[in-house]
Amino acid sequence: MTSIQVVNQGEEAWLDLICAVNYTLGLFKNDVTTGRTKAQLNALTEADFLPATFAGYAAVNLTGGAWTTTPGDPSAATYAMQTFTRTSTGTTQAIYGWYLTTTAGGLLRCFGRFAPAGGYDITNINEEIRVTPRIPMRDEDDDDA
């Protein structure tokens, strides 16, 4: 068996193809990662994520082709920052991260967990959660940057 080396411009080209479709960016309020193995994480589907429900929350549509792709180690696609703003004070909701689904069909493509162990709490009017979606593409020879 031979191994394959995907060069940086190849990674970027594949990211351009992946990011040419429309996605929906959502926030999730359940802890989908704690206690799961790598295999279990890779088997997650859109049904495993509970969307945020705080006042003013709505998932956001991301336009295909509007991503910026950059070759490197790893290559990456980045979308403009999206802001989710609470519109009234109420019960605190923990938000654990963000996820991308295809706009057509609603299939999960990737997700990101926020760094704090318990996610971010959102309680008061005008509190914001800002997300800059980023999809890295690396091969086995890329650094873990």
Side-chain angles (χ1 to χ4, degrees):
M1 172 174 252
T2 61
S3 63
I4 182 172
Q5 175 68 44
V6 180
V7 298
N8 293 343
Q9 67 182 358
E11 292 172 355
E12 181 185 25
W14 279 336
L15 282 168
D16 286 336
L17 293 171
I18 291 167
C19 294
V21 300
N22 296 330
Y23 291 101
T24 301
L25 171 68
L27 300 177
F28 61 93
K29 65 179 184 176
N30 59 319
D31 184 358
V32 296
T33 60
T34 300
R36 293 186 192 246
T37 66
K38 186 174 183 177
Q40 289 170 325
L41 291 172
N42 283 326
L44 292 173
T45 72
E46 58 284 349
D48 294 304
F49 292 80
L50 295 178
T53 55
F54 60 83
Y57 170 77
V60 188
N61 291 325
L62 305 182
T63 304
W67 295 74
T68 300
T69 56
T70 308
D73 289 324
S75 298
T78 307
Y79 201 89
M81 180 187 294
Q82 303 298 304
T83 302
F84 299 88
T85 305
R86 185 157 185 152
T87 57
S88 68
T89 298
T91 303
T92 298
Q93 189 169 105
I95 304 299
Y96 287 90
W98 58 271
Y99 62 108
L100 283 181
T101 57
T102 54
T103 301
L107 299 175
L108 180 68
R109 291 299 180 242
C110 64
F111 69 95
R113 183 178 164 99
F114 295 137
Y120 292 115
D121 290 338
I122 189 162
T123 305
N124 299 307
I125 190 169
N126 295 327
E127 286 183 334
E128 298 177 339
I129 295 178
R130 297 178 184 162
V131 177
T132 303
R134 182 177 182 274
I135 303 171
M137 179 172 281
R138 60 176 52 104
D139 56 38
E140 62 188 26
D141 291 330
D142 285 344
D143 296 331
D144 286 334

